[in-house]
Amino acid sequence: MAEGNHTVVYFSEQVVVLCSCALSFVGSSLIILTYIMWADLRTTPRRLLVYLSVSDWLSAVSYAFGVWRVFHTDSVDCVAQGAISTFANTSSFFWTVAIAVYLYVVIVRASQRAADSLVWFFHIVSWGVPLAITVAAVCLNKIGYDASEVSVGWCWVSIHAPDRVLWMLLTGKIWEFLAYLTLPVLYILIKRHIYIAHAALSEYRPILANRPPSHSFSSMADMKLTLIPIIFIVLRIWSTVRFVLLLADSPARLNAVLVTLHGIGNTSQGAANCIMFVLLTRPIRTRLCAALCCCSSKCRAGEQPSHGAPYRPLPGQDTATQREEDSAGRVGTDR
């Protein structure tokens, strides 16, 4: 895959990564739209998810532009694309950890007030730190053509920067490593707390163990708590592997399969979040299906909507989404 001093990005790799970017774009947009459409979904955890989706949306768009262009010089659009993707990607790391911290405080520390008071801090860190790093990198001419050494066509830290490894760490890798360590620890602590709470409930209130709806919501929440750190690591590990191979000056970082996995992993976070928090969340899935079926039938019939009122869930559905996502939190506070 090496040609001269740059990594060749094959057309097949471009197509695969562009498809991944498209899915992430659609997934992030869907999370944002569902939050806007239905007021009862506007809980704090889902609001934090929307902020993460904004970062993933920007990442998908900027990466798609970079993969489509496959830059070869330090052009203006290369620097612009590299700056946007650097900011969005780093911000995504911070928001992913912020959601885990929020859930930890709510569930394990059982302090909703303390968790809500952290939201402003999350904004300062998750937007401010990436912005400061990106502005500094651009002003010091560190963002530019990187020969796809640790990218897939897009621009990042300039290959001509003598201290490029340091700036690779500052503009992404060090935060990625910290997320690898922080996310599993926080979610293991949360799951451990939920397990202990379930054991206490089973002992003192065994009748609750026989309620299928509560058990269903708890099982889904527990599955999501397991999948969040696993999916994050599975998606991001390929870029980390290429970075380590770059440090070791190994030609294995140019392997076509590894480059493709890197491209898919870096651009799939929005799609993965959509699957977990939209498609695998039954109340939201039901609403989307109902809305799509309604629109489809109206389009086929060529009729205008007969009622001006927006879609309203049935009684009992209003809080179903929050029950599914926050059932683990209520278990912790019911102890």
Side-chain angles (χ1 to χ4, degrees):
M1 293 208 27
E3 183 180 88
N5 67 337
H6 71 276
T7 302
V8 177
V9 178
Y10 295 122
F11 178 73
S12 58
E13 295 170 350
Q14 285 182 273
V15 172
V16 171
V17 177
L18 283 172
C19 289
S20 177
C21 289
L23 290 174
S24 201
F25 174 86
V26 172
S28 299
S29 300
L30 200 55
I31 291 174
I32 297 170
L33 287 175
T34 55
Y35 180 85
I36 295 172
M37 289 170 59
W38 294 302
D40 58 298
L41 298 182
R42 296 169 192 169
T43 60
T44 303
R46 189 159 284 271
R47 188 163 70 250
L48 297 179
L49 179 63
V50 167
Y51 300 143
L52 171 60
S53 298
V54 171
S55 298
D56 292 333
W57 189 93
L58 282 174
S59 292
V61 172
S62 60
Y63 282 144
F65 181 71
V67 173
W68 173 66
R69 283 293 307 273
V70 186
F71 295 103
H72 298 291
T73 59
D74 288 326
S75 58
V76 174
D77 51 350
C78 168
V79 174
Q81 180 273 313
I84 294 172
S85 62
T86 296
F87 167 78
N89 197 45
T90 307
S91 178
S92 179
F93 293 150
F94 279 103
W95 279 117
T96 302
V97 174
I99 292 172
V101 172
Y102 181 89
L103 293 176
Y104 173 82
V105 174
V106 169
I107 297 173
V108 179
R109 297 301 180 185
S111 179
Q112 182 74 49
R113 180 177 297 180
D116 290 339
S117 68
L118 288 173
V119 173
W120 68 270
F121 177 75
F122 292 153
H123 279 288
I124 293 174
V125 173
S126 300
W127 300 125
V129 173
L131 181 61
I133 292 172
T134 303
V135 169
V138 172
C139 291
L140 295 173
N141 297 318
K142 303 300 181 181
I143 300 296
Y145 170 62
D146 71 342
S148 293
E149 290 279 22
V150 196
S151 69
V152 188
W154 57 78
C155 292
W156 188 28
V157 177
S158 175
I159 192 173
H160 304 297
D163 52 353
R164 63 186 182 128
V165 172
L166 172 62
W167 281 97
M168 285 180 179
L169 290 170
L170 289 176
T171 57
K173 290 306 170 186
I174 191 171
W175 315 115
E176 192 174 60
F177 292 143
L178 290 175
Y180 287 154
L181 297 175
T182 305
L183 290 176
V185 170
L186 288 175
Y187 282 111
I188 287 171
L189 291 175
I190 292 171
K191 285 175 63 66
R192 178 177 176 274
H193 180 85
I194 293 172
Y195 177 81
I196 295 173
H198 274 304
L201 286 172
S202 298
E203 180 179 355
Y204 293 105
R205 290 186 285 175
I207 191 173
L208 294 179
N210 298 321
R211 294 176 61 184
S214 297
H215 177 73
S216 175
F217 288 131
S218 296
S219 297
M220 180 58 70
D222 187 63
M223 183 187 73
K224 289 177 181 177
L225 290 175
T226 303
L227 289 177
I228 289 171
I230 292 176
I231 290 177
F232 178 85
I233 293 173
V234 168
L235 291 179
R236 295 289 182 173
I237 194 65
W238 311 109
S239 65
T240 303
V241 169
R242 288 194 71 201
F243 176 71
V244 172
L245 292 174
L246 172 66
L247 296 181
D249 196 25
S250 171
R253 70 182 182 277
L254 309 179
N255 181 272
V257 175
L258 185 57
V259 171
T260 303
L261 289 173
H262 176 190
I264 294 172
N266 267 40
T267 58
S268 295
Q269 192 66 51
N273 288 337
C274 180
I275 291 172
M276 281 194 295
F277 299 108
V278 175
L279 302 183
L280 290 182
T281 302
R282 190 175 64 188
I284 301 179
R285 185 174 65 246
T286 301
R287 295 184 191 193
L288 284 175
C289 290
L292 290 174
C293 290
C294 181
C295 291
S296 177
S297 61
K298 287 178 181 177
C299 289
R300 286 197 301 268
E303 298 175 354
Q304 295 296 324
S306 58
H307 300 287
Y311 170 78
R312 298 183 183 278
L314 296 173
Q317 281 188 321
D318 289 344
T319 58
T321 301
Q322 189 169 354
R323 285 206 312 272
E324 180 176 328
E325 294 179 348
D326 301 334
S327 58
R330 290 204 315 280
V331 168
T333 56
D334 279 346
R335 286 186 61 187

